[in-house]
């Protein structure tokens, strides 16, 4: 009897599982065949549901029986299927766009109650339909600018290539384009992002505790998914603007089986300005332009296997010539990525994605004068291979696990120079190599109707390997005392990083919830900046025996509530973040000092912390929609070698940050939008005393402590007007002799926008000058604010056929 009871206890869970049957499949757009991300599949009878993953796949298991299964997606007509759960069923669904789109404006591609029911804190999904209606700089739709309107996310100001999340630096954001890492996500020093909106399907930002399947960064994940391409018919989209134009082509290679998409963009400031520059001008031949090209191929090999090949290539090229001084320089920089992914279904419950990725980022500054030429360059290249498994155990457990390997090659800086045929002793191209590994596991578990948790663990490691030469410097003289040479693949230093992750949601009876998040992260690569703003000149380099990995721990808690049948959603989140092993250049150290030296010999190390509260309220549907976001935060740093180890504000410390985003659909064809932003001015160090020393015959400056002053607050208003051309034309029906409406083959729209509508002179930096003759007692010292952009109107014509 005891033996039988024991067997029953042991095998009862398997018996219960055996009574479950699985419904699985893919959900796609009926018109284009594109996979739809985040479609809700809900069984009301059991109050259970799941969502499609980034490839449009879903799997749900229920006890034997007959159920109505509802497929719903914002902006699309819902579909209900009556399904008999008596055996495993594969059911692929196509959803059609809702005809009455004004009743449900696309604000987010997710369930209307995901704000309160999901476990993930600080996650926001934005559809491209939403992003395209927000006023944009010079009419160019920008993913990065849009996320900076969200609470907890801020820019460093105009002319800054990075964005900052909850007190973290620009290097602490993991930016992915179809799973390929993008190291510099901006064109034109931060005024445009590298992502062409016409080729993007979905944008997901995680600024709270990131799940364990993401790693390598401390602050946030920006996960961008490209469109697959139209599986049904050929399609072209494009736009002609004031300074840039773009064109996207997509269509089937084999209908419903394979597709392609290719998208290109280029600015033509250089082309438009060239005729207006006189031949006698010293700067004739100077210019700037950027271009990018995005492409993707997809192949549905079978119902269980799919291939995706994605690529991106972009370059910024800035050139300057001065014929009077016989001086010229060029500054090219840009990214190149490629990712090959293979989806495979081992069973209805086990989904695996295998990915191989190539990433390359390079920057160069090259120039010359009077026969003297020089070149300064830096870059980073990654080769990455990983597998991600999803196991749909049952409706209560969604399990993910996988592994990740990345081979890094860094070129922190190289310098070469020559005069005629003579080459000078300069910095050879020093390459630093490393291996980065990770394995992870996570389980999203519905404990009961009210409590849902996501528990995960990630184990990461980094190995610095040869070839490498270590220079040991004399601390007093700075001369090289000795060196150590490491051979190819020889292990120099290895770090391990345990990374626990946890989040939980407790659902309250009034359609609201409390959430809690915890994340402990390791980051093995670093970004060093010699400027007060983030620029392409900043240097990427890895952890070494002297540079420890960055470590971040974040705690967050929030209250989330929806109102008026989920038409409004609101949240309040508070967070605290500890940051360790941060880096800065030592005072009076610069990248060009690397001759017979290592980059890490020029660095100083410190810690930091950040805390804040974020308030967010959004109207999701209707003719008028938008959001208000406000953040109060404090971000501090401490380095032993700076200000005697005293705490100081980080340069991107923003105590107050406010964003108002609104749109109004006046009619079927007319939409207006407006954005207002306000932020506390950036922290800055300023000279507190300046005088001319007659004894030393020079200006002496006494600077303040690090970042003790503030620039003026940053604020501006952007407005836009979008007018769609008539989508239908009247045509005489020969059979009925009546006029009927026929959809036009070519549709178009005009976008009129005004950037900085009230011409605010926002500060970029402070310029200090000196005039007069100190010997005559007429010396004067001055300081002037430099601003970049006044009011800028623009117009763009967009088309589609």
């Amino acid at each position: 009897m005891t033996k039988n009871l024991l067997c029953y206890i042991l095998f009862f869970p398997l018996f219960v599982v055996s009574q479950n049957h699985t419904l699985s499949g893919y959900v796609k757009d009926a018109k284009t065949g594109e996979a739809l991300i985040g479609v809700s599949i809900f069984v009301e009878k059991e109050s259970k549901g799941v969502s499609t993953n980034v490839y449009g796949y879903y799997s749900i298991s229920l006890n034997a029986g007959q159920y109505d299964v509802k497929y719903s997606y914002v902006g699309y007509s819902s579909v209900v299927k009556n399904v008999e759960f008596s055996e495993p069923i594969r059911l692929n669904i196509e959803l059609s766009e809702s005809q009455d789109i004004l009743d449900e404006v696309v604000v987010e591609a997710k369930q209307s109650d995901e704000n309160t029911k999901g476990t993930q804190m600080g996650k926001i999904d934005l559809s491209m339909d939403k992003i395209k209606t927000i006023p944009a700089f010079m009419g160019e739709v920008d993913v990065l600018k849009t996320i900076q309107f969200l609470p907890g996310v801020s820019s460093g100001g105009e002319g800054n290539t990075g964005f900052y999340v909850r007190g973290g630096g620009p290097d602490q954001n993991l930016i992915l384009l179809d799973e390929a890492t993008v190291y510099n996500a901006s064109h034109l020093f931060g005024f445009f992002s590298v992502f062409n909106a016409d080729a993007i399907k979905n944008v997901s930002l995680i600024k709270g505790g990131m799940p364990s399947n993401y790693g390598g960064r401390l602050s946030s994940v920006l996960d961008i998914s490209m469109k697959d391409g139209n599986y049904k018919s050929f399609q072209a989209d494009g736009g002609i603007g004031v300074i840039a134009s773009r064109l996207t082509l997509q269509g089937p290679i084999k209908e419903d089986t394979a597709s392609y998409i290719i998208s290109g963009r280029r600015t033509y400031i250089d082309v438009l300005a060239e005729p207006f520059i006189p031949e006698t001008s010293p700067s004739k031949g100077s210019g700037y332009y950027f271009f990018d090209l995005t492409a993707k191929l997809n192949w549905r090999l079978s119902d269980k296997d799919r291939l995706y090949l994605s690529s991106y290539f972009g370059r910024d090229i800035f050139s300057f010539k001065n014929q009077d001084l016989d001086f010229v320089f060029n500054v090219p920089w840009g990214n190149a990525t490629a990712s090959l992914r293979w989806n495979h279904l081992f069973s209805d419950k086990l989904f695996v994605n295998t990915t191989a990725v190539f990433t390359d980022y390079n920057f160069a500054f090259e120039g010359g004068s009077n026969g003297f030429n020089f070149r300064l360059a830096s870059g980073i290249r990654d080769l990455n291979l990983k597998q991600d498994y999803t196991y749909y155990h049952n409706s209560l457990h969604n399990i993910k696990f996988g592994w990740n390997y990345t081979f890094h090659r860094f070129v922190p800086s190289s310098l070469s120079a020559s005069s005629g045929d003579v080459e000078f002793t300069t910095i050879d191209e020093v390459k630093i190599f490393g291996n980065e590994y990770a394995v992870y596991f996570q389980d999203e578990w519905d404990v009961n109707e009210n409590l849902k948790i996501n528990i995960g663990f990630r184990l990461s490691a980094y190995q610095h390997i040869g070839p490498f030469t270590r220079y040991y410097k004399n601390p007093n003289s700075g001369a090289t005392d000795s060196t150590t040479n490491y051979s190819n693949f020889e292990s120099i230093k290895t770090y391990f990083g345990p990374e626990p992750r946890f989040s939980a949601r407790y659902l309250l009876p009034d359609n609201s919830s409390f959430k809690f998040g915890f994340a402990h992260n390791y980051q093995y690569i670093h970004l060093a900046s010699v400027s007060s703003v983030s620029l392409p000149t900043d240097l990427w380099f890895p952890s070494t025996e002297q540079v420890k990995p960055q470590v971040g721990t974040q705690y967050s808690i929030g209250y989330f509530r929806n109102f008026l049948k989920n038409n409004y959603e609101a949240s309040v989140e508070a967070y605290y973040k500890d940051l360790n092993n941060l880096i800065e250049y030592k005072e009076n150290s610069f990248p060009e000092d690397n001759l017979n030296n290592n980059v890490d010999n020029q660095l100083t190390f410190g810690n930091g912390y950040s805390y804040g509260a974020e308030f967010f309220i959004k109207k999701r549907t209707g003719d008028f929609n938008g959001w208000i976001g406000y953040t109060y935060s404090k971000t501090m740093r401490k380095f032993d070698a700076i200000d005697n180890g005293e705490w100081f504000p980080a340069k991107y410390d923003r105590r107050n940050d406010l964003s108002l985003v609104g749109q109004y659909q006046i009619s079927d064809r007319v939409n207006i939008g407006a954005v207002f932003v306000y932020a506390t001015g950036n922290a800055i160090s300023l000279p507190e005393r300046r005088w001319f020393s007659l004894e030393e015959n020079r200006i002496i400056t006494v600077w303040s402590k690090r970042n003790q002053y503030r620039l003026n607050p940053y604020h501006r208003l952007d407005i836009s007007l979008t007018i769609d051309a008539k989508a239908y034309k009247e045509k005489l029906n020969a059979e009925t002799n009546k006029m009927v409406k026929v959809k036009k083959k070519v549709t178009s729209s005009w976008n009129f926008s005004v950037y900085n509508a009230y011409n605010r002179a926002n500060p970029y930096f402070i310029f200090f000058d000196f005039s007069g003759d100190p010997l005559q007692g007429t010396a004067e010292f001055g300081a002037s604010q430099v601003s970049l952009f006044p009011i800028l109107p623009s117009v763009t014509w967009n088309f589609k056929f």
Side-chain angles (χ1 to χ4, degrees), residues 264-306:
R265 179 174 55 161
R266 192 194 191 277
T267 58
Y268 30 73
I269 308 172
D270 55 327
V271 178
L272 295 178
E274 181 68 20
F276 300 97
I277 302 176
E279 292 293 335
T280 56
S281 172
S283 59
K284 182 70 174 180
S286 301
Y288 167 84
Y289 69 93
F290 74 76
F291 67 90
D292 49 45
L293 182 67
T294 306
K296 187 174 182 179
L297 296 173
N298 313 276
W299 195 280
R300 294 170 180 167
L301 303 176
S302 68
D303 205 31
K304 291 189 174 182
D305 296 277
R306 303 184 180 209

Side-chain angles (χ1 to χ4, degrees), residues 15 61 106 168 178 205 210 236 251 270 294 307 414 434 463 527 533 631 645 695 738 749 757 770:
F15 174 77
S61 298
V106 178
D178 270 4
L205 174 71
M210 64 183 70
D270 55 327
T294 306
L307 282 177
S414 65
Q463 181 186 32
L527 186 68
V533 296
T631 303
E695 294 180 358
K738 293 182 179 180
S749 66
F770 167 75

Side-chain angles (χ1 to χ4, degrees), residues 426-490:
T426 54
I427 305 172
D428 294 330
E429 186 176 75
V430 177
K431 298 178 181 179
I432 304 177
F433 301 92
N435 296 315
E436 187 172 351
Y437 313 87
V439 293
Y440 71 89
F441 174 87
Q442 74 175 39
D443 181 15
E444 190 169 62
W445 176 26
D446 279 311
V447 181
N448 54 45
E449 290 185 359
N450 296 327
L451 180 61
K452 186 176 185 178
I453 65 174
N454 188 318
I455 186 167
F457 182 79
R458 184 181 183 93
L459 179 62
S460 61
Y462 183 84
Q463 181 186 32
H464 179 201
I465 59 175
F468 182 72
T469 300
R470 166 61 63 190
Y471 295 91
Y472 298 97
K473 295 292 184 176
N474 186 299
N476 298 318
S477 66
T480 301
D481 285 341
S482 63
T483 63
T484 300
N485 294 310
Y486 297 90
S487 60
N488 291 346
F489 303 105
E490 182 178 356

Side-chain angles (χ1 to χ4, degrees), residues 201-395:
K201 175 163 57 176
N202 188 71
V203 178
S204 180
L205 174 71
I206 303 173
K207 56 190 175 73
M210 64 183 70
S212 61
N213 55 309
Y214 295 108
R217 300 295 188 275
L218 302 186
S219 290
S220 75
V221 178
L222 181 63
D223 197 346
I224 299 175
S225 301
M226 290 174 55
K227 291 179 179 177
D228 295 337
N230 197 317
Y231 285 90
K232 306 283 189 178
S233 60
F234 174 78
Q235 179 181 326
D237 306 80
I240 300 174
V242 175
I243 65 170
S245 290
R246 64 191 190 278
L247 177 65
T248 300
L249 304 176
Q250 56 181 308
I253 299 173
K254 182 179 179 181
E255 189 172 346
D256 289 326
T257 301
S259 68
Y260 70 91
I261 181 171
I262 182 168
S263 184
R265 179 174 55 161
R266 192 194 191 277
T267 58
Y268 30 73
I269 308 172
D270 55 327
V271 178
L272 295 178
E274 181 68 20
F276 300 97
I277 302 176
E279 292 293 335
T280 56
S281 172
S283 59
K284 182 70 174 180
S286 301
Y288 167 84
Y289 69 93
F290 74 76
F291 67 90
D292 49 45
L293 182 67
T294 306
K296 187 174 182 179
L297 296 173
N298 313 276
W299 195 280
R300 294 170 180 167
L301 303 176
S302 68
D303 205 31
K304 291 189 174 182
D305 296 277
R306 303 184 180 209
L307 282 177
Y308 304 85
L309 177 61
S310 309
S311 63
Y312 168 86
F313 183 82
R315 281 292 180 269
D316 288 66
I317 299 176
F318 174 53
S319 60
F320 176 80
K321 293 182 179 180
N322 189 306
Q323 298 177 12
D324 291 346
L325 300 176
D326 189 25
F327 177 71
V328 60
F329 70 81
N330 294 291
V331 187
W333 74 92
N335 301 276
T337 70
S339 58
L340 177 64
R341 292 173 292 168
W342 170 38
N343 290 174
H344 178 67
L345 287 173
F346 284 104
S347 70
D348 294 332
K349 292 189 175 185
L350 184 58
F351 179 96
V352 62
N353 180 57
T354 303
T355 306
V357 175
F358 168 83
T359 297
D360 186 74
Y361 170 71
N362 287 289
F363 166 83
F365 185 97
E366 49 198 23
S369 177
N370 296 319
F372 175 79
N373 299 291
F374 67 92
R375 186 177 190 272
L376 175 68
S378 66
I380 178 173
R381 176 176 294 176
D382 291 347
L383 297 175
N384 172 248
L385 184 65
K386 65 175 184 173
Q387 279 192 317
D388 299 286
Y389 294 83
T390 303
Y391 178 56
Y392 302 91
H393 178 61
N394 55 40
S395 59

Side-chain angles (χ1 to χ4, degrees), residues 653-657 678-683 710-714:
D653 172 50
R654 292 270 182 96
R655 299 299 166 89
N656 298 282
D657 204 315
Y678 174 90
T680 303
N682 284 351
R710 295 274 178 179
L711 293 174
N712 289 330
Y714 180 97

